[in-house]
Amino acid sequence: MPSPSPERLVILDRDGVINQDSDAYVKSLDEWLPYPGAIDAIAHLSRAGWAVAVATNQSGIARGYYDKTTLAAMHDELERLVSEAGGEIAHIAYCPHGPDDGCNCRKPLPGLLEQIRTALGMTGLAGSWMVGDSLRDLQAGDAMGCRPVLLRSGKGERTLAKHPELLAEGSETRVFPDLAAFVDWLLARQR
């Protein structure tokens, strides 16, 4: 598969964007609950010729709440559901480390996005879209030249309450209620 152009790449955070988030962590496949419309939105993007990747902090592994096998089961289910809906996920990158582990992959650092860039054989990510529900998602994207999108789902409303500048006139951050609304806007803009 040829490398996607950055302008045709959407990078998604996972918890709070694709599936319901939990302050107690999403620790099992049973707790991994996709938002209504999120799977179809990903498949819709994919069918329209966009590459979709996922960049997710998963410090629950370092904290001992679940293991990599459990995380793989969640990601296998995500890929299965998207495939059933007629789409595909180009790559899933995750950080298994805790906040004090000193890794370079935990967002807001851009290591996960670097992993995606390498996995997809791209020279850069400038101009691609970084979609998240927290400031650290946007900061990781910003470090790689991605266009920022904040969703109000997940921790998005909390993020906006703490960072009202994201809604200020002149902010480059685009804000949408959820993933489906962003995808509808992006595909309509493309027409």
Side-chain angles (χ1 to χ4, degrees), residues 49-123:
W50 290 75
V52 181
V54 177
T56 179
N57 286 353
Q58 292 294 325
S59 69
I61 292 173
R63 298 170 201 265
Y65 298 152
Y66 51 92
D67 57 23
K68 289 182 180 179
T69 304
T70 302
L71 183 67
M74 291 183 231
H75 291 168
D76 288 349
E77 180 67 0
L78 168 59
E79 290 180 311
R80 185 187 70 76
L81 291 171
V82 170
S83 176
E84 270 182 12
E88 75 172 299
I89 293 179
H91 187 72
I92 298 175
Y94 70 89
C95 170
H97 307 111
D100 303 322
D101 288 349
C103 67
N104 72 346
C105 49
R106 185 173 166 81
K107 293 179 290 185
L109 296 173
L112 290 177
L113 278 65
E114 282 286 357
Q115 288 176 31
I116 290 167
R117 184 189 64 72
T118 301
L120 299 184
M122 299 171 70
T123 54

Side-chain angles (χ1 to χ4, degrees), residues 120-171:
L120 299 184
M122 299 171 70
T123 54
L125 297 179
S128 58
W129 297 90
M130 179 68 215
V131 183
D133 67 333
S134 73
L135 188 63
R136 72 172 143 232
D137 297 322
L138 306 184
Q139 290 168 327
D142 186 53
M144 300 293 287
C146 299
R147 294 180 275 187
V149 175
L150 185 82
L151 303 183
R152 292 179 180 271
S153 56
K155 295 184 172 81
E157 290 291 354
R158 245 187 278 178
T159 301
L160 287 169
K162 278 189 203 153
H163 302 280
E165 70 276 9
L166 295 173
L167 285 170
E169 197 172 321
S171 168

